[in-house]
Amino acid sequence: MQWLPHITVATIVEDNGRFLMVEEHKAGRNVLNQPAGHLDPDESLIEAAVRETLEETGWDVEPTAVVGIYLYTAPSNGVTYQRVCFSAKAVKHHPDYQLDDGIVGAKWLTRDELLAQRDNWRSELIIRCIDDYLAGNRFGLELIRPSL
């Protein structure tokens, strides 16, 4: 059996204590996640974070730091994901942007509002990334090295 971890990115975008979240339809129900998704071929991790945020929220963002790198095995399917989580600042909203299939919409939620909806989280990585961000975890974008 060949083991293939999935490389993903996520973006923490904060505005006055509220976080940009994505409500998406997954496995027959609506769940919450940071703007997140898979790395595409010939794309940098930073480019993937910018693209996924736009595709899922309609927001252009500017990454500012790396919050953390996480390894997570989903209990639902046994798939292992390596998530690189970025912080970013919101630059411009495109309210008419056609969001990805399955995306219900973007929401700005406080940490407390997220905790109240724990049953609707896509994974525990949501709060882990936010708590690391709130703890001040910021690593320079130069941590992400381009391909040789």
Side-chain angles (χ1 to χ4, degrees), residues 5-77:
H6 294 244
I7 307 300
T8 62
V9 294
T11 308
I12 302 284
V13 183
E14 188 228 355
D15 179 35
N16 293 314
R18 297 178 313 140
F19 297 93
L20 182 59
M21 303 299 294
V22 174
E23 184 177 11
E24 58 186 328
H25 195 73
K26 194 77 173 169
R29 66 188 193 104
N30 288 355
V31 295
L32 292 170
N33 197 10
Q34 276 98 15
H38 287 83
L39 178 68
D40 282 349
D42 300 318
E43 181 178 54
S44 75
L45 291 165
I46 294 170
E47 291 167 343
V50 170
R51 175 186 52 77
E52 286 289 352
T53 304
L54 177 62
E55 290 176 353
E56 294 188 350
T57 69
W59 277 93
D60 286 328
V61 296
E62 181 182 321
T64 56
V66 176
V67 174
I69 300 171
Y70 306 85
L71 198 59
Y72 175 75
T73 301
S76 61
N77 60 14

Side-chain angles (χ1 to χ4, degrees), residues 58-113:
W59 277 93
D60 286 328
V61 296
E62 181 182 321
T64 56
V66 176
V67 174
I69 300 171
Y70 306 85
L71 198 59
Y72 175 75
T73 301
S76 61
N77 60 14
V79 173
T80 298
Y81 298 90
Q82 181 177 0
R83 173 188 271 202
V84 179
C85 184
F86 295 90
S87 62
K89 66 179 182 178
V91 175
K92 182 178 181 183
H93 187 229
H94 304 276
D96 297 325
Y97 191 87
Q98 179 63 47
L99 304 179
D100 276 354
D101 286 344
I103 302 297
V104 176
K107 294 182 169 192
W108 291 91
L109 299 171
T110 66
R111 185 181 185 281
D112 287 342
E113 289 169 334

